[in-house]
Amino acid sequence: MNSRLSEKEGLASLMLRLRGEGISDRTLILAAEQTPRSLFAPPAYSDLAYSGRTLPLDCGEYMEGADLSLRMLHLLGLGAGQRVLEIGTGSGFTAAVMARIADRVVTIDRYRTLSQLAGQKFEHLGLKNVVAQVGNGLDKDAVDGTFDRILVTAAFDSMPRMFVEKLVSRGVMITAIGPAEEPQMLVRLTKTGSRFEREDLFPVRFQPLLGTAAAVL
């Protein structure tokens, strides 16, 4: 998007679509309005930043459509004072939006290129409470401490039970579960005691979560 007007038009269209889906969380909407999505979209696709299309990123990764990104954040139930872990930094857009709501956001990606680019954009926006780091998303000990919310923009083959201990009591995790070659199910997992309560949400198609940091990229 080359003009301020087109940025506003794209955002307005997105907001109308979200309201049509019943998403009217003012805190989330304000955070999205304050985070220019075109800054995070690849330059060749900046005019599609607010569309529902998946956009290609460096390292063979992609940026989820605007509708899906904000729908997942709505389902996550973000709030002030929370610590949030994101696995799969991608463009950095969702982490930036979360940082405007939560107290602290840690976002991990296996690709150094994506992590560094996201970090530069966080700095450009003056976001001091979000940290981008390179790591193995399957390693529950890649970051210290526990979190109120965990967002995973990739798919597990099966229930990620090893992440139960990374959530506080009644903490929430949003992720996809299912084989890589088929549509997966986006699920909301709520910690109860030492286990998860599972709520199936809707089908998605995410890349599988890989268990190593990229050696080169």
Side-chain angles (χ1 to χ4, degrees):
M1 295 185 182
N2 297 320
S3 71
R4 189 174 179 181
L5 179 61
S6 60
E7 181 91 23
K8 286 183 176 180
E9 288 174 342
L11 178 61
S13 178
L14 172 61
M15 293 301 115
L16 284 173
R17 297 197 304 272
L18 292 177
R19 290 191 186 99
E21 294 181 9
I23 299 174
S24 57
D25 181 343
R26 286 302 307 163
T27 301
L28 176 59
I29 289 173
L30 180 59
E33 289 174 343
Q34 294 173 334
T35 309
R37 189 170 161 88
S38 57
L39 174 66
F40 293 88
Y45 296 90
S46 61
D47 59 329
L48 296 172
Y50 290 93
S51 76
R53 285 185 52 179
T54 298
L55 306 179
L57 297 173
D58 291 337
C59 309
E61 294 297 297
Y62 63 89
M63 181 181 190
E64 292 85 11
D67 304 64
L68 177 58
S69 292
L70 292 176
R71 192 176 178 190
M72 288 191 296
L73 295 185
H74 171 69
L75 292 165
L76 195 59
L78 296 165
Q82 293 175 346
R83 291 189 76 231
V84 182
L85 172 63
E86 179 185 45
I87 300 174
T89 306
S91 71
F93 173 74
T94 53
V97 173
M98 292 191 291
R100 296 190 185 278
I101 302 172
D103 183 63
R104 180 75 168 169
V105 177
V106 179
T107 180
I108 299 176
D109 203 282
R110 67 187 300 264
Y111 292 110
R112 187 173 303 278
T113 297
L114 296 180
S115 185
Q116 290 177 342
L117 286 172
Q120 292 168 9
K121 291 165 185 175
F122 301 152
E123 185 175 356
H124 174 77
L125 293 173
L127 298 172
K128 306 295 187 183
N129 62 331
V130 54
V131 175
Q133 62 185 64
V134 181
N136 173 4
L138 283 175
D139 181 4
K140 63 182 176 60
D141 297 317
V143 291
D144 295 328
T146 57
F147 297 86
D148 301 280
R149 299 289 185 269
I150 299 177
L151 174 65
V152 185
T153 52
F156 290 94
D157 287 335
S158 58
M159 282 282 284
R161 301 184 192 283
M162 63 282 201
F163 279 89
V164 169
E165 63 190 65
K166 297 303 293 184
L167 280 170
V168 301
S169 178
R170 302 306 298 172
V172 174
M173 180 174 183
I174 295 283
T175 188
I177 297 177
E181 57 279 356
E182 299 176 13
Q184 302 101 7
M185 179 61 65
L186 191 74
V187 301
R188 178 163 49 199
L189 305 173
T190 303
K191 182 177 178 178
T192 302
S194 59
R195 63 183 182 84
F196 281 138
E197 290 182 0
R198 172 174 171 165
E199 178 186 358
D200 289 355
L201 300 170
F202 51 84
V204 291
R205 190 66 181 268
F206 284 166
Q207 294 185 9
L209 186 62
L210 301 178
T212 58
V216 178
L217 300 177

